Amino acid sequence: MNDTPRIRTVLSCTLLALTVTAGATACAGSGNHPLSAKPYDAADEIAFNAPAEGKKADPEKPLEITAKGDDGRITDVTALDESGHHLAGELTADGRRWRSTAALAAGARYTVQVATEDEDGAPGARTFTFETAPAKRALTATFGPEAGTYGVGQPITADLSLPVKDKAARGVVERALKVRSTPAVEGSWYWVDDKKLHFRPKEYWPTGAVVTATGNLAGLKVGDKLYGGDSKPLKLTIGDRIEAVADAGSHYMTVRRNGEVINTIPVTTGKPGFSTRNGIKVVLGKEYFVRMRGTSIGISEGSSDSYDLPVYYATRVTWSGEYVHAAPWSVGSQGVENVSHGCVGMSTGNAAWFYENVRPGDIVRVVNSEGEMMDTFGNGFGDWNLDWDKWRKGSALVADSSDPAATMDAKARLRPSL
């Protein structure tokens, strides 16, 4: 085999490397090149529309920076608020003007660094600061529930201080409301109405998860003269996976902890005309004693269905008054027939055990009842009765698949033509 060509190639590469090194040394040693000089103060060469000393800028107006005279130009602009957020902008091709393209934050302090060069290419620089006026209307979000440990079905709620109807504005709000879980989960917000959002993961929260909700709305422009305000963060811990399934057909409730059956309880549910709602419900709270009256659900006092009873170990699952509770008066019917006015009744001993073993956020599911489905919203947390695809459509950030333009735009962004 002839090695000569290989040796020749190596020698050529070595000579090339020496040539490049020599060239680099020559450039480094040249001390009179304009780019090697320290940037000069360009204060007299640029102008901007920030307010006069002691005044604050209107966040509704863009920031504009222009080059004075004809001898220099702007080469770069960086504008940051105190949170480290960049203010996006565009520089004209001739370097004569830079203009912000994103909305300024309200009540913020900006630091702006401007780089320039003169007609000889020498670099200049100027740094200035300014503040924007606070918002006259501030949109805040209050997260729920209260901090603590909850079951795997607990949604996160966000109550807004002002209504938000416009879809684009809702998108701004939704992007600023962050929910993070360790371990991570897939989840989404759902706009219940103009002032309330719910967040839930695709599946139940993982046991032992730590969930945080934060609002990054402060100073953010949401809509016409509407800016975000401060929101208090929330932290939750998720406990064991407790699921109770009350079968109105068999008259038994099966309770599982982390997938393992830990109790089977004879129960009675709603009788005809008062059938218990089917579907998934989330424990809202626990009350050791509740006075239950038929008048609270529309039953006339003195009628055959009227009642006024002291109830113990009451675990609430709807705001309208549906509980899992002790019903010693119906022990003979428990496990046999449905005789309640809509609640899940059981013996005092079983109700005490249930009361002590569940917490807010745990799951209670009713099956095989003749009643209607649990409301998704408005009567507790029926969030889990919506399948994931329908839940996702409640987000302002999900394109409507029935809108051809939105679908085409999504395809263009996700799968660009080559």
Side-chain angles (χ1 to χ4, degrees):
M1 179 179 291
N2 188 347
D3 291 333
T4 303
R6 182 181 177 187
I7 295 172
R8 185 182 300 115
T9 301
V10 173
L11 290 172
S12 298
C13 290
T14 303
L15 290 171
L16 178 60
L18 290 171
T19 303
V20 171
T21 303
T25 303
C27 290
S30 177
N32 57 3
H33 193 280
L35 295 179
S36 67
K38 180 181 178 180
Y40 61 85
D41 184 358
D44 295 333
E45 296 183 359
I46 61 171
F48 59 96
N49 66 335
E53 187 73 24
K55 294 187 177 181
K56 297 183 178 181
D58 182 354
E60 293 287 323
K61 296 180 180 179
L63 173 64
E64 292 187 359
I65 302 170
T66 56
K68 296 180 181 178
D70 300 322
D71 297 335
R73 68 188 190 96
I74 300 168
T75 57
D76 189 32
V77 175
T78 301
L80 291 172
D81 65 15
E82 290 177 303
S83 300
H85 296 139
H86 284 263
L87 178 65
E90 289 183 345
L91 181 63
T92 56
D94 60 5
R96 305 298 303 167
R97 183 172 68 94
W98 183 94
R99 178 187 174 95
S100 61
T101 55
L104 291 164
R109 179 182 178 85
Y110 282 92
T111 299
V112 183
Q113 295 178 315
V114 184
T116 67
E117 65 178 18
D118 65 14
E119 58 184 349
D120 297 321
R126 184 185 178 187
T127 299
F128 64 91
T129 62
F130 70 95
E131 295 181 9
T132 55
K136 294 180 180 178
R137 292 194 302 153
L139 177 74
T140 60
T142 302
F143 295 112
E146 296 180 353
T149 301
Y150 291 84
V152 297
Q154 180 64 50
I156 304 295
T157 62
D159 291 300
L160 304 180
S161 59
L162 295 167
V164 178
K165 299 181 180 181
D166 179 71
K167 185 172 182 179
R170 285 186 172 192
V172 173
V173 171
E174 197 172 326
R175 288 186 186 93
L177 302 181
K178 304 292 185 182
V179 178
R180 295 179 174 86
S181 170
T182 305
V185 298
E186 180 183 359
S188 178
W189 288 103
Y190 188 107
W191 285 80
V192 178
D193 55 38
D194 294 342
K195 294 182 67 175
K196 181 182 284 292
L197 298 86
H198 284 195
F199 183 98
R200 50 154 273 209
K202 183 177 181 181
E203 307 292 343
Y204 295 141
W205 297 106
T207 295
V210 176
V211 182
T212 58
T214 54
N216 300 325
L217 283 166
L220 189 66
K221 184 173 183 178
V222 176
D224 184 26
K225 297 182 180 179
L226 176 62
Y227 292 80
D230 292 326
S231 298
K232 184 180 178 181
L234 171 68
K235 181 178 180 180
L236 305 181
T237 301
I238 305 301
D240 287 335
R241 178 168 174 156
I242 302 293
E243 299 173 86
V245 179
D247 189 331
S250 70
H251 315 294
Y252 276 84
M253 172 184 277
T254 302
V255 184
R256 290 180 171 83
R257 177 184 284 121
N258 300 327
E260 179 183 352
V261 175
I262 56 173
N263 208 346
T264 302
I265 302 170
V267 299
T268 183
T269 62
K271 62 185 179 181
F274 298 93
S275 295
T276 307
R277 297 171 183 85
N278 284 292
I280 300 171
K281 302 155 193 178
V282 174
V283 172
L284 301 173
K286 300 189 296 182
E287 301 164 57
Y288 172 70
F289 172 79
V290 179
R291 191 87 193 180
M292 293 191 178
R293 297 177 174 88
T295 52
S296 66
I297 60 171
I299 298 174
S300 299
E301 188 173 356
S303 68
S304 58
D305 281 312
S306 177
Y307 61 88
D308 186 347
L309 297 167
V311 174
Y312 294 89
Y313 300 110
T315 300
R316 182 187 284 270
V317 292
T318 73
W319 296 124
S320 63
E322 188 178 316
Y323 290 84
V324 177
H325 64 77
W329 55 85
S330 66
V331 168
S333 298
Q334 293 163 19
V336 180
E337 61 180 334
N338 296 322
V339 298
S340 84
H341 288 88
C343 291
V344 176
M346 56 186 65
S347 70
T348 300
N350 283 329
W353 178 90
F354 188 81
Y355 183 94
E356 292 166 357
N357 281 275
V358 300
R359 59 165 51 97
D362 286 340
I363 299 298
V364 175
R365 182 159 62 96
V366 176
V367 298
N368 298 321
S369 171
E370 295 181 1
E372 298 177 351
M373 281 296 296
M374 170 69 174
D375 296 334
T376 308
F377 306 109
N379 195 19
F381 295 126
D383 305 48
W384 299 100
N385 295 301
L386 275 185
D387 66 37
W388 182 241
D389 288 341
K390 290 181 180 178
W391 181 269
R392 287 270 291 147
K393 289 180 181 178
S395 165
L397 303 179
V398 176
D400 184 357
S401 59
S402 64
D403 181 355
T407 304
M408 289 176 64
D409 178 63
K411 288 181 178 179
R413 287 186 287 106
L414 296 174
R415 293 183 293 275
S417 301
L418 299 177

